[in-house]
Amino acid sequence: MSVQQEAGADGEALEVWIDQDLCTGDGICVQYAPEVFELDIDGLAYVKGAGEELLQDKGATTPVPLPLLTDVVDSAKECPGECIHVRRVSDLVEVFGPDAD
């Protein structure tokens, strides 16, 4: 696997999104994975796309790079707002976050 490949532990591609309606602005996600998350001037966290672009559309997703998988999962687990969702790209099933089984 190349460093740039996005994949979960089982080899499936994963993506992450943030529900800004639940975001508390604590910035824990940014501390864990600044390559993926960023706080905007509104005090809420957003995911970043290619070229560090802040994705501000509601429900915007970004791929989870394999080297950052643990950091992104830890962000979802530690988020006080429970607003970080990590799901499989293939079937959109949430694997980490508040709606994961």
XYZ file of all heavy atoms in Angstrom:
751
model
N 0.842 -1.198 0.000
C 0.000 0.000 0.000
C 0.875 1.245 0.000
O 1.834 1.321 0.745
C -0.868 0.035 1.256
C -2.042 -0.864 1.224
S -3.094 -0.525 2.670
C -4.371 -1.670 2.298
N 0.519 2.195 -0.803
C 1.271 3.442 -0.811
C 0.829 4.313 0.360
O -0.253 4.133 0.913
C 1.041 4.191 -2.125
O -0.242 4.762 -2.136
N 1.679 5.244 0.724
C 1.388 6.136 1.844
C 0.148 6.980 1.555
O -0.597 7.328 2.456
C 2.610 7.042 2.122
C 2.304 8.066 3.180
C 3.796 6.194 2.540
N -0.116 7.274 0.300
C -1.240 8.136 -0.065
C -2.571 7.390 -0.112
O -3.615 8.000 -0.207
C -0.979 8.796 -1.423
C 0.208 9.729 -1.408
C 0.040 10.851 -0.411
O -1.009 11.459 -0.323
N 1.068 11.128 0.361
N -2.533 6.067 -0.059
C -3.769 5.298 -0.172
C -4.655 5.509 1.054
O -4.184 5.588 2.174
C -3.430 3.821 -0.327
C -4.633 2.973 -0.639
C -4.230 1.574 -1.063
O -3.066 1.244 -1.078
N -5.211 0.769 -1.399
N -5.945 5.592 0.825
C -6.906 5.728 1.904
C -7.534 4.370 2.150
O -8.072 3.779 1.221
C -8.002 6.744 1.565
C -7.506 8.157 1.429
C -7.131 8.533 0.024
O -7.609 7.899 -0.922
O -6.337 9.465 -0.120
N -7.466 3.896 3.396
C -8.059 2.594 3.672
C -8.260 2.393 5.155
O -7.565 3.001 5.982
C -7.170 1.485 3.122
N -9.215 1.552 5.471
C -9.442 1.148 6.846
C -8.592 -0.064 7.169
O -7.821 -0.545 6.344
N -8.761 -0.589 8.372
C -7.985 -1.729 8.824
C -8.216 -2.951 7.931
O -7.346 -3.785 7.776
C -8.334 -2.045 10.267
N -9.394 -3.048 7.332
C -9.710 -4.191 6.481
C -9.414 -3.917 5.012
O -9.783 -4.690 4.147
C -11.178 -4.588 6.663
C -12.128 -3.437 6.343
O -11.654 -2.349 5.968
O -13.350 -3.631 6.476
N -8.761 -2.802 4.724
C -8.392 -2.470 3.353
C -9.429 -1.670 2.595
O -9.205 -1.308 1.458
N -10.581 -1.407 3.215
C -11.617 -0.635 2.533
C -11.385 0.863 2.690
O -10.920 1.309 3.733
C -12.994 -0.986 3.087
C -13.449 -2.365 2.693
C -14.940 -2.506 2.811
O -15.654 -1.826 2.056
O -15.380 -3.280 3.662
N -11.738 1.607 1.678
C -11.604 3.059 1.721
C -12.584 3.638 2.737
O -13.740 3.212 2.816
C -11.860 3.652 0.344
N -12.108 4.606 3.516
C -12.935 5.279 4.509
C -12.962 6.772 4.242
O -12.024 7.327 3.665
C -12.383 5.042 5.922
C -12.308 3.605 6.418
C -11.658 3.552 7.796
C -13.683 2.979 6.449
N -14.044 7.411 4.676
C -14.150 8.867 4.597
C -14.666 9.370 5.931
O -15.249 8.618 6.713
C -15.073 9.291 3.456
C -16.505 8.823 3.595
C -17.357 9.132 2.366
O -16.829 9.587 1.343
O -18.582 8.888 2.442
N -14.425 10.649 6.201
C -14.840 11.245 7.467
C -15.590 12.536 7.196
O -15.310 13.234 6.221
C -13.611 11.487 8.393
C -12.611 12.442 7.761
C -14.038 11.978 9.767
N -16.577 12.807 8.055
C -17.308 14.077 7.979
C -17.652 14.514 9.390
O -17.625 13.723 10.328
C -18.542 13.965 7.100
C -19.626 13.061 7.601
C -19.654 11.702 7.520
C -20.840 13.456 8.240
N -20.819 11.228 8.071
C -21.563 12.274 8.531
C -21.386 14.683 8.602
C -22.806 12.292 9.162
C -22.634 14.685 9.223
C -23.327 13.516 9.502
N -17.936 15.803 9.531
C -18.270 16.386 10.826
C -19.661 16.996 10.755
O -19.976 17.729 9.816
C -17.254 17.477 11.233
C -15.875 16.863 11.416
C -17.697 18.190 12.503
C -14.785 17.882 11.724
N -20.473 16.717 11.772
C -21.789 17.336 11.902
C -21.600 18.630 12.697
O -21.499 18.609 13.917
C -22.746 16.385 12.626
C -24.162 16.929 12.717
O -24.362 18.151 12.523
O -25.068 16.137 13.003
N -21.531 19.760 11.991
C -21.281 21.047 12.652
C -22.389 21.424 13.627
O -22.153 22.183 14.560
C -21.062 22.170 11.626
C -19.671 22.206 11.058
C -19.454 21.150 9.989
O -20.385 20.728 9.315
N -18.214 20.703 9.845
N -23.599 20.892 13.456
C -24.687 21.189 14.392
C -24.378 20.666 15.793
O -24.917 21.171 16.777
C -26.007 20.585 13.904
C -26.530 21.261 12.651
O -26.136 22.419 12.375
O -27.330 20.634 11.930
N -23.525 19.654 15.884
C -23.164 19.070 17.176
C -21.770 19.460 17.651
O -21.392 19.168 18.785
C -23.257 17.538 17.098
C -24.628 16.962 16.756
C -24.539 15.447 16.603
C -25.654 17.344 17.815
N -20.995 20.105 16.788
C -19.610 20.460 17.112
C -19.561 21.454 18.272
O -20.280 22.451 18.273
C -18.919 21.050 15.891
S -17.188 21.480 16.173
N -18.702 21.155 19.249
C -18.540 22.034 20.414
C -17.359 22.980 20.255
O -17.148 23.843 21.111
C -18.357 21.201 21.694
O -17.200 20.378 21.541
C -19.577 20.337 21.973
N -16.567 22.797 19.202
C -15.433 23.677 18.959
C -14.253 23.458 19.884
O -13.392 24.327 20.002
N -14.189 22.308 20.535
C -13.081 22.018 21.446
C -11.744 21.885 20.725
O -10.700 22.109 21.329
C -13.353 20.733 22.237
C -14.350 20.961 23.355
O -15.570 20.981 23.082
O -13.904 21.139 24.485
N -11.773 21.471 19.487
C -10.539 21.360 18.707
C -9.728 20.110 18.968
O -8.579 20.009 18.539
N -10.304 19.140 19.672
C -9.580 17.900 19.935
C -9.220 17.210 18.619
O -8.124 16.671 18.474
C -10.410 16.973 20.852
C -10.473 17.582 22.252
C -9.838 15.560 20.894
C -11.421 16.897 23.199
N -10.126 17.258 17.655
C -9.861 16.627 16.366
C -8.652 17.259 15.680
O -7.834 16.560 15.083
C -11.090 16.691 15.470
S -11.725 18.354 15.183
N -8.534 18.564 15.799
C -7.411 19.271 15.176
C -6.104 18.882 15.857
O -5.064 18.749 15.208
C -7.627 20.801 15.224
C -6.445 21.534 14.638
C -8.909 21.178 14.496
N -6.152 18.671 17.166
C -4.952 18.239 17.888
C -4.514 16.851 17.431
O -3.326 16.596 17.271
C -5.200 18.232 19.389
C -5.391 19.613 19.975
C -5.798 19.572 21.438
O -5.676 18.557 22.109
N -6.298 20.689 21.937
N -5.475 15.949 17.215
C -5.151 14.591 16.783
C -4.714 14.534 15.323
O -3.765 13.835 14.993
C -6.362 13.665 16.963
C -6.508 13.079 18.341
C -7.508 13.519 19.196
C -5.669 12.065 18.791
C -7.668 12.969 20.460
C -5.815 11.512 20.055
C -6.814 11.960 20.884
O -6.965 11.414 22.131
N -5.441 15.203 14.445
C -5.196 15.068 13.001
C -5.340 16.414 12.287
O -6.316 16.645 11.571
C -6.154 14.035 12.409
N -4.368 17.312 12.470
C -4.453 18.630 11.819
C -4.418 18.548 10.293
O -4.815 19.496 9.615
C -3.247 19.391 12.364
C -2.296 18.335 12.837
C -3.149 17.168 13.262
N -3.978 17.414 9.760
C -3.963 17.240 8.307
C -5.371 17.029 7.759
O -5.609 17.234 6.574
C -3.102 16.023 7.918
C -1.679 16.066 8.424
C -1.508 15.453 9.824
O -2.512 15.246 10.538
O -0.366 15.192 10.209
N -6.293 16.613 8.630
C -7.646 16.266 8.203
C -8.682 17.278 8.689
O -9.649 17.560 7.992
C -8.021 14.851 8.718
C -9.461 14.486 8.356
C -7.050 13.811 8.172
N -8.475 17.829 9.894
C -9.451 18.715 10.529
C -8.888 20.113 10.744
O -7.694 20.278 10.949
C -9.863 18.160 11.899
C -10.373 16.754 11.865
C -9.618 15.709 12.364
C -11.624 16.463 11.340
C -10.088 14.402 12.347
C -12.106 15.159 11.316
C -11.337 14.131 11.826
N -9.786 21.104 10.747
C -9.373 22.483 11.026
C -10.555 23.242 11.636
O -11.706 23.036 11.239
C -8.927 23.167 9.741
C -8.379 24.568 9.955
C -7.819 25.158 8.678
O -7.219 24.425 7.867
O -7.992 26.374 8.481
N -10.246 24.128 12.585
C -11.268 25.019 13.131
C -11.364 26.239 12.237
O -10.349 26.814 11.843
C -10.910 25.455 14.555
C -10.995 24.382 15.637
C -10.512 24.942 16.966
C -12.407 23.845 15.782
N -12.569 26.654 11.929
C -12.783 27.841 11.104
C -13.015 29.049 12.025
O -13.130 28.905 13.242
C -13.970 27.621 10.168
C -13.997 28.609 9.010
O -12.988 29.318 8.795
O -15.023 28.686 8.319
N -13.163 30.219 11.441
C -13.373 31.429 12.236
C -14.688 31.400 12.997
O -14.860 32.129 13.967
C -13.291 32.714 11.374
C -14.305 32.672 10.231
C -11.892 32.905 10.839
C -14.415 33.981 9.465
N -15.613 30.508 12.580
C -16.879 30.377 13.313
C -16.727 29.528 14.574
O -17.674 29.329 15.330
C -17.986 29.817 12.412
C -17.705 28.408 11.895
O -16.686 27.793 12.293
O -18.513 27.916 11.086
N -15.503 29.002 14.811
C -15.232 28.215 16.005
C -15.586 26.747 15.880
O -15.453 25.993 16.836
N -16.043 26.330 14.697
C -16.427 24.939 14.486
C -15.381 24.214 13.651
O -14.643 24.826 12.881
C -17.789 24.864 13.783
C -18.953 25.546 14.500
C -20.219 25.455 13.662
C -19.158 24.967 15.885
N -15.329 22.898 13.815
C -14.383 22.080 13.067
C -14.967 21.650 11.736
O -16.178 21.416 11.610
C -13.996 20.861 13.888
N -14.080 21.537 10.748
C -14.434 21.089 9.407
C -13.349 20.141 8.919
O -12.217 20.182 9.403
C -14.527 22.279 8.436
C -15.656 23.223 8.751
C -15.497 24.243 9.676
C -16.900 23.071 8.144
C -16.547 25.106 9.988
C -17.949 23.932 8.442
C -17.760 24.938 9.367
O -18.806 25.786 9.666
N -13.700 19.303 7.936
C -12.686 18.465 7.302
C -12.023 19.264 6.190
O -12.591 20.220 5.668
C -13.283 17.146 6.747
C -13.791 16.272 7.886
C -14.372 17.396 5.722
N -10.814 18.830 5.849
C -10.071 19.480 4.777
C -9.995 18.564 3.573
O -9.868 17.345 3.709
C -8.654 19.810 5.238
C -8.598 20.875 6.304
C -7.210 21.448 6.434
C -6.441 20.778 7.541
N -5.139 21.439 7.776
N -10.069 19.160 2.419
C -9.959 18.412 1.172
C -8.559 18.530 0.603
O -7.609 18.880 1.303
N -8.455 18.252 -0.673
C -7.170 18.339 -1.356
C -6.613 19.755 -1.256
O -7.351 20.730 -1.319
C -7.349 17.937 -2.815
N -5.330 19.840 -1.053
C -4.687 21.142 -0.977
C -5.062 21.933 0.260
O -5.043 23.164 0.233
N -5.430 21.242 1.344
C -5.742 21.892 2.620
C -6.999 22.759 2.579
O -7.238 23.573 3.456
C -4.558 22.759 3.091
C -3.256 22.009 3.253
C -3.200 21.236 4.561
O -3.426 21.820 5.616
O -2.927 20.023 4.501
N -7.814 22.589 1.518
C -9.040 23.375 1.382
C -10.061 22.966 2.437
O -10.355 21.791 2.624
C -9.636 23.161 -0.015
C -10.963 23.847 -0.218
C -11.676 23.377 -1.488
O -11.171 22.487 -2.187
O -12.763 23.912 -1.751
N -10.608 23.968 3.145
C -11.637 23.722 4.151
C -12.950 23.417 3.443
O -13.402 24.188 2.609
C -11.792 24.973 5.025
C -12.207 24.784 6.469
C -11.237 23.886 7.193
C -12.287 26.125 7.159
N -13.562 22.280 3.777
C -14.813 21.869 3.133
C -15.972 22.256 4.047
O -16.239 21.595 5.039
C -14.798 20.363 2.874
C -13.625 19.852 2.032
C -13.681 18.342 1.881
C -13.582 20.539 0.674
N -16.656 23.327 3.701
C -17.670 23.893 4.577
C -19.103 23.517 4.208
O -20.025 23.887 4.918
C -17.520 25.408 4.626
C -16.216 25.824 5.276
C -16.032 27.322 5.263
O -16.031 27.940 4.204
N -15.889 27.903 6.426
N -19.280 22.761 3.133
C -20.634 22.330 2.785
C -21.125 21.324 3.817
O -20.353 20.484 4.289
C -20.666 21.692 1.396
C -20.404 22.695 0.289
O -20.632 23.900 0.511
O -19.968 22.270 -0.795
N -22.393 21.402 4.154
C -22.971 20.479 5.138
C -22.786 19.038 4.680
O -23.116 18.694 3.551
C -24.451 20.797 5.332
C -25.102 20.051 6.477
C -26.505 20.568 6.718
C -27.160 19.900 7.891
N -26.683 20.335 9.184
N -22.232 18.208 5.546
C -22.021 16.809 5.218
C -20.833 16.529 4.321
O -20.674 15.407 3.838
N -19.977 17.529 4.088
C -18.806 17.334 3.229
C -17.896 16.265 3.817
O -17.670 16.222 5.026
C -18.046 18.648 3.074
N -17.401 15.389 2.961
C -16.530 14.304 3.403
C -15.145 14.460 2.801
O -14.967 15.125 1.777
C -17.085 12.928 2.985
O -17.097 12.853 1.552
C -18.485 12.706 3.538
N -14.181 13.803 3.442
C -12.830 13.736 2.908
C -12.303 12.334 3.171
O -12.681 11.705 4.168
C -11.924 14.825 3.527
O -10.759 15.002 2.726
C -11.520 14.504 4.957
N -11.457 11.816 2.277
C -10.889 10.487 2.499
C -10.024 10.456 3.757
O -9.402 11.456 4.117
C -10.029 10.246 1.253
C -10.521 11.212 0.235
C -11.028 12.401 1.001
N -9.989 9.300 4.403
C -9.115 9.104 5.568
C -7.833 8.456 5.060
O -7.855 7.294 4.640
C -9.780 8.204 6.624
C -8.825 7.958 7.786
C -11.082 8.813 7.123
N -6.710 9.186 5.097
C -5.441 8.584 4.667
C -5.026 7.485 5.651
O -5.129 7.669 6.869
C -4.449 9.752 4.709
C -5.290 10.986 4.773
C -6.562 10.589 5.448
N -4.573 6.362 5.133
C -4.205 5.228 5.968
C -3.247 5.602 7.110
O -3.463 5.186 8.244
C -3.619 4.107 5.102
C -3.227 2.829 5.835
C -4.421 2.239 6.580
C -2.659 1.813 4.866
N -2.205 6.420 6.847
C -1.295 6.752 7.954
C -1.966 7.543 9.078
O -1.440 7.601 10.197
C -0.203 7.592 7.294
C -0.310 7.322 5.838
C -1.742 6.962 5.578
N -3.112 8.153 8.808
C -3.800 8.968 9.813
C -5.032 8.281 10.386
O -5.768 8.883 11.172
C -4.204 10.315 9.197
C -3.054 11.175 8.691
C -3.584 12.421 8.017
C -2.112 11.534 9.820
N -5.262 7.022 10.017
C -6.467 6.315 10.453
C -6.611 6.320 11.972
O -7.659 6.669 12.502
C -6.475 4.884 9.916
C -7.663 4.025 10.358
C -8.985 4.637 9.904
C -7.513 2.607 9.841
N -5.558 5.971 12.692
C -5.632 5.925 14.155
C -5.958 7.290 14.727
O -6.788 7.402 15.642
C -4.305 5.401 14.744
O -4.086 4.077 14.244
C -4.355 5.355 16.264
N -5.336 8.341 14.197
C -5.582 9.703 14.692
C -7.030 10.131 14.433
O -7.665 10.757 15.288
C -4.623 10.700 14.048
C -3.182 10.468 14.460
O -2.950 9.917 15.558
O -2.291 10.835 13.678
N -7.558 9.800 13.271
C -8.941 10.162 12.938
C -9.917 9.382 13.820
O -10.885 9.943 14.337
C -9.219 9.938 11.430
C -10.702 10.098 11.124
C -8.394 10.907 10.586
N -9.656 8.092 14.025
C -10.524 7.274 14.886
C -10.477 7.785 16.324
O -11.508 7.900 16.984
C -10.117 5.784 14.802
C -10.817 4.965 15.881
C -10.435 5.237 13.415
N -9.275 8.118 16.812
C -9.158 8.673 18.164
C -9.918 9.989 18.284
O -10.533 10.266 19.316
C -7.686 8.871 18.551
C -6.975 7.551 18.834
O -7.659 6.511 18.990
O -5.727 7.559 18.877
N -9.897 10.794 17.240
C -10.652 12.044 17.230
C -12.135 11.770 17.410
O -12.814 12.437 18.202
C -10.460 12.793 15.906
O -9.125 13.146 15.695
N -12.637 10.794 16.666
C -14.062 10.445 16.757
C -14.413 9.936 18.147
O -15.457 10.276 18.700
C -14.415 9.401 15.697
N -13.515 9.135 18.729
C -13.771 8.566 20.057
C -13.731 9.620 21.157
O -14.497 9.554 22.117
C -12.751 7.472 20.364
C -12.944 6.213 19.550
C -11.888 5.190 19.895
C -12.072 3.912 19.092
N -11.001 2.942 19.378
N -12.841 10.595 21.032
C -12.631 11.589 22.089
C -13.472 12.852 21.933
O -13.538 13.671 22.844
C -11.150 11.987 22.144
C -10.211 10.831 22.447
C -10.449 10.227 23.824
O -10.760 10.978 24.779
O -10.336 8.987 23.952
N -14.117 13.022 20.802
C -14.880 14.242 20.531
C -16.013 14.421 21.541
O -16.905 13.572 21.628
C -15.457 14.175 19.121
S -16.497 15.585 18.717
N -16.018 15.524 22.303
C -17.076 15.734 23.286
C -18.448 15.986 22.648
O -19.479 15.714 23.264
C -16.610 16.952 24.086
C -15.619 17.635 23.227
C -15.014 16.581 22.343
N -18.463 16.460 21.413
C -19.726 16.715 20.730
C -20.269 15.501 19.998
O -21.369 15.538 19.463
N -19.466 14.416 19.969
C -19.840 13.202 19.228
C -20.329 13.542 17.824
O -21.394 13.110 17.386
C -20.886 12.393 19.999
C -20.389 11.889 21.331
C -21.376 10.990 22.045
O -22.568 10.961 21.669
O -20.952 10.300 22.978
N -19.525 14.339 17.126
C -19.957 14.831 15.818
C -19.086 14.356 14.665
O -19.327 14.725 13.524
C -19.992 16.364 15.835
S -18.383 17.137 16.071
N -18.086 13.512 14.947
C -17.184 13.033 13.898
C -17.622 11.640 13.464
O -17.769 10.738 14.281
C -15.730 13.021 14.389
C -15.303 14.442 14.769
C -14.804 12.442 13.317
C -13.955 14.527 15.439
N -17.847 11.499 12.169
C -18.360 10.252 11.605
C -17.363 9.697 10.587
O -17.004 10.397 9.644
C -19.700 10.496 10.904
C -20.732 11.103 11.803
N -21.648 10.345 12.483
C -20.981 12.402 12.146
C -22.434 11.141 13.206
N -22.045 12.395 13.016
N -16.947 8.451 10.776
C -16.057 7.767 9.843
C -16.846 6.610 9.245
O -17.395 5.787 9.972
C -14.794 7.235 10.565
C -13.866 6.542 9.564
C -14.060 8.365 11.286
N -16.916 6.585 7.920
C -17.711 5.548 7.263
C -16.981 4.963 6.066
O -16.080 5.586 5.501
C -19.068 6.101 6.842
C -18.990 7.195 5.797
C -20.338 7.808 5.541
N -20.241 8.846 4.524
C -21.202 9.709 4.262
N -22.335 9.674 4.952
N -21.057 10.620 3.315
N -17.410 3.734 5.709
C -16.874 3.094 4.517
C -17.415 3.798 3.286
O -18.605 4.133 3.230
C -17.283 1.617 4.461
C -16.559 0.732 5.453
C -16.825 -0.738 5.180
N -18.229 -1.070 5.253
C -18.800 -1.719 6.268
N -18.075 -2.109 7.303
N -20.081 -1.993 6.242
N -16.571 3.991 2.314
C -16.992 4.626 1.065
C -17.901 3.691 0.271
O -18.870 4.130 -0.345
C -15.762 5.042 0.225
C -16.172 5.524 -1.159
C -14.960 6.106 0.955
N -17.636 2.396 0.319
C -18.362 1.433 -0.520
C -19.855 1.361 -0.216
O -20.669 1.260 -1.127
C -17.748 0.042 -0.386
O -17.844 -0.419 0.954
N -20.233 1.409 1.077
C -21.651 1.277 1.412
C -22.155 2.346 2.383
O -23.289 2.294 2.837
C -21.934 -0.116 1.977
C -21.110 -0.424 3.216
O -20.419 0.473 3.748
O -21.147 -1.590 3.658
N -21.300 3.317 2.706
C -21.619 4.437 3.587
C -22.037 4.012 5.008
O -22.728 4.742 5.703
C -22.708 5.328 2.973
C -22.386 5.899 1.589
C -23.514 6.782 1.090
C -21.062 6.651 1.578
N -21.571 2.838 5.427
C -21.831 2.372 6.786
C -20.800 2.999 7.721
O -19.603 2.941 7.463
C -21.769 0.830 6.864
C -21.786 0.357 8.319
C -22.925 0.219 6.095
N -21.308 3.600 8.808
C -20.424 4.231 9.776
C -19.694 3.162 10.583
O -20.304 2.252 11.126
C -21.220 5.145 10.712
C -20.341 5.947 11.634
C -21.035 7.165 12.203
O -21.772 7.850 11.461
O -20.832 7.436 13.374
N -18.353 3.275 10.631
C -17.545 2.297 11.350
C -16.960 2.850 12.647
O -16.617 2.108 13.548
C -16.436 1.705 10.447
C -17.055 0.838 9.359
C -15.581 2.790 9.836
N -16.843 4.173 12.731
C -16.400 4.853 13.951
C -17.226 6.118 14.085
O -17.501 6.804 13.108
C -14.920 5.215 13.912
C -14.015 4.038 13.750
C -13.422 3.756 12.529
C -13.768 3.179 14.815
C -12.592 2.659 12.362
C -12.932 2.078 14.660
C -12.357 1.831 13.447
N -17.618 6.444 15.303
C -18.417 7.631 15.535
C -19.706 7.276 16.255
O -19.962 6.110 16.573
N -20.558 8.269 16.486
C -21.754 8.055 17.287
C -22.783 7.097 16.690
O -23.572 6.505 17.410
C -22.347 9.461 17.442
C -21.736 10.261 16.341
C -20.402 9.658 16.071
N -22.775 6.916 15.372
C -23.765 6.047 14.738
C -23.190 4.675 14.369
O -23.855 3.884 13.711
C -24.340 6.712 13.486
C -25.078 7.986 13.812
O -25.615 8.102 14.921
O -25.098 8.887 12.944
N -21.957 4.386 14.809
C -21.343 3.092 14.502
C -21.962 1.995 15.358
O -22.344 2.235 16.500
C -19.842 3.153 14.738
N -22.073 0.814 14.782
C -22.635 -0.323 15.540
C -21.621 -0.906 16.492
O -20.491 -0.977 16.305
C -23.120 -1.414 14.577
C -24.359 -0.945 13.816
O -25.100 -0.103 14.347
O -24.568 -1.440 12.693
